[in-house]
Amino acid sequence: MNDWPEAWSDDNRGGRYGRGSASAQPESPRVMRQVRRGQPAPPGPGAYGGVPQQPQYVDGRGSGGYDSGYNTGQVYGGGGGHGGGDGYAPQRPAPDWRRRIKVTVITLVTVLFVTTVATYFWADSKLNREVDLSKVIERPEKGEGTNYLIVGSDSREGLSDEDKKRLRTGSSDGKRTDSMMILHTGGNGPTLISLPRDSNVEIPTFKGSESGKIYQGTGRQVKLNAAYAEDGPELLVRTVEFNTGLHIDHYVEIGFAGFANIVDAAGGVEIDIPQDIKDTKSGADFRKGKQTLNGEEALAFVRTRYALAGSDLDRTKNQQKFLSALANQVATPSTVLNPFRLYPTMGAGLDSLIVDKDMGLFDLADMFWSMKGVSGGEGTSMNMPLAGSTGGNLLWDKDKVKQLVNQLNNDEKVTVTGD
């Protein structure tokens, strides 16, 4: 019995289909014949239940809409399951680059804003606002610009015995002023003026910072650093204002340990040392020329005076030079744009500084940028004009000091020169 569908026979299949071809000619393209199905043949011996009724095919298409794919040029497996009649998957939409860039920019701005705000509050919380300038009495009128009194103290606070030995600071109790400077900022560039600690000044009437008691002035003449030793920052500000007539807006103080820590956190400071220096008391041992100083070396450099011809006057010049170089180093992109250097530097500085109660971060930034401007040639650095000395005390040139203060109060270009 023939199990092939109706109208098919072995002859229909020919001698090639399914059995190989004996012909030397290649097979011609096969064309599906029209097939019409009738009723299935009854099952016979060996049959598997017969052949079920099949749909009718005309030109490769079933009556139920089924497309066999023959003679239509379709490629099987071409995504027919997606409902596409052409056998191809639908194309993915092109990426919306404008939207992606917009989202990226918004994300970056948000992260930057949050980081900036968090950094501001973190830094603001670390400022040691210990000095109350409201306790200073009989103050001169405020002029144009801003005046900072910057004080380097010889405080050993925070130093271990090993640190004191390494930094050669000694072990004196309490603290005294090791350096004093006035920094004026305004529209005509910054002016940095060193006040030699041996300057001869008069202690005026003042209000005790702790007792609140009024101490009447008696015309007592002392060295400037004695005012700080007697009643701290408030009396020092009162004495500077009384002897100069210049209003002090903000007070900034740093000790030995803090100074060294800031320099180390900044990765050292490059400075051009004008001469060979060797001082056993400060520990300074430098050759002339450009070099990068770490915290220990920097402290020795700014404290040296016995190895210098001008003693304290030359030391104040070195201090000005180094502080300007330090501010310049802190403001470089290698520090500002590197969080692994910026935050340690900020932390070391903020932990070490003592400022007045009205001091803000913007004031501190103004001070550092102005110090940077001095080293960049945008400002002026000088010592307070001197007229001589008496009994080891340095006398200020009163006429020049008056002219200098007038120029600062009016925020004019400083033309006065100092030693």
Side-chain angles (χ1 to χ4, degrees), residues 32-167:
M32 176 68 75
R33 296 181 176 87
Q34 295 184 5
V35 180
R36 296 184 180 275
R37 300 294 186 187
Q39 294 296 326
Y48 293 91
V51 179
Q53 182 177 0
Q54 302 295 318
Q56 295 184 6
Y57 292 83
V58 179
D59 293 331
R61 294 186 179 274
S63 60
Y66 174 78
D67 189 348
S68 68
Y70 283 90
N71 294 332
T72 63
Q74 291 186 9
V75 179
Y76 286 94
H82 296 287
D86 58 1
Y88 292 95
Q91 294 183 352
R92 296 177 62 184
D96 188 347
W97 289 108
R98 285 187 176 182
R99 183 175 180 277
R100 291 187 180 184
I101 293 174
K102 182 178 179 181
V103 171
T104 301
V105 170
I106 292 175
T107 301
L108 290 176
V109 170
T110 302
V111 170
L112 180 61
F113 175 77
V114 172
T115 302
T116 301
V117 172
T119 299
Y120 175 86
F121 284 105
W122 166 77
D124 187 72
S125 68
K126 293 178 75 67
L127 274 179
N128 301 310
R129 298 183 174 93
E130 299 178 7
V131 180
D132 188 357
L133 295 183
S134 68
K135 296 178 180 179
V136 181
I137 63 174
E138 301 179 16
R139 309 189 67 184
E141 292 184 7
K142 177 176 171 54
E144 300 293 328
T146 304
N147 299 313
Y148 300 88
L149 180 59
I150 304 172
V151 175
S153 77
D154 64 358
S155 171
R156 279 78 172 170
E157 185 176 353
L159 293 177
S160 65
D161 291 339
E162 181 179 347
D163 290 334
K164 293 175 183 177
K165 183 178 180 180
R166 176 175 57 86
L167 299 176

Side-chain angles (χ1 to χ4, degrees), residues 346-357:
M346 290 179 61
L350 295 171
D351 282 338
S352 306
L353 296 178
I354 296 174
V355 300
D356 64 272
K357 293 184 180 297

Side-chain angles (χ1 to χ4, degrees), residues 268-290:
V269 175
E270 184 181 72
I271 190 169
D272 188 0
I273 299 179
Q275 65 182 75
D276 293 347
I277 300 176
K278 188 173 182 62
D279 185 355
T280 57
K281 291 191 175 182
S282 68
D285 188 3
F286 305 112
R287 294 292 184 185
K288 177 181 178 180
K290 283 188 177 182

Side-chain angles (χ1 to χ4, degrees), residues 165-180:
K165 183 178 180 180
R166 176 175 57 86
L167 299 176
R168 300 185 181 228
T169 63
S171 300
S172 300
D173 294 329
K175 58 181 181 179
R176 288 152 293 277
T177 52
D178 201 57
S179 62
M180 290 160 283

Side-chain angles (χ1 to χ4, degrees), residues 196-261:
R197 68 178 190 173
D198 292 339
S199 297
N200 188 83
V201 295
E202 178 183 339
I203 298 293
T205 299
F206 69 95
K207 181 179 181 180
S209 59
E210 297 294 335
S211 66
K213 180 181 176 181
I214 299 297
Y215 296 89
Q216 294 295 330
T218 61
R220 180 164 47 105
Q221 305 289 310
V222 298
K223 292 181 179 181
L224 182 58
N225 63 347
Y228 182 95
E230 186 172 333
D231 199 42
E234 289 83 2
L235 179 54
L236 178 61
V237 170
R238 168 70 175 134
T239 302
V240 170
E241 288 187 341
F242 177 82
N243 286 269
T244 63
L246 188 67
H247 181 92
I248 299 299
D249 297 288
H250 293 293
Y251 177 91
V252 181
E253 178 186 324
I254 187 170
F256 284 163
F259 181 82
N261 289 339

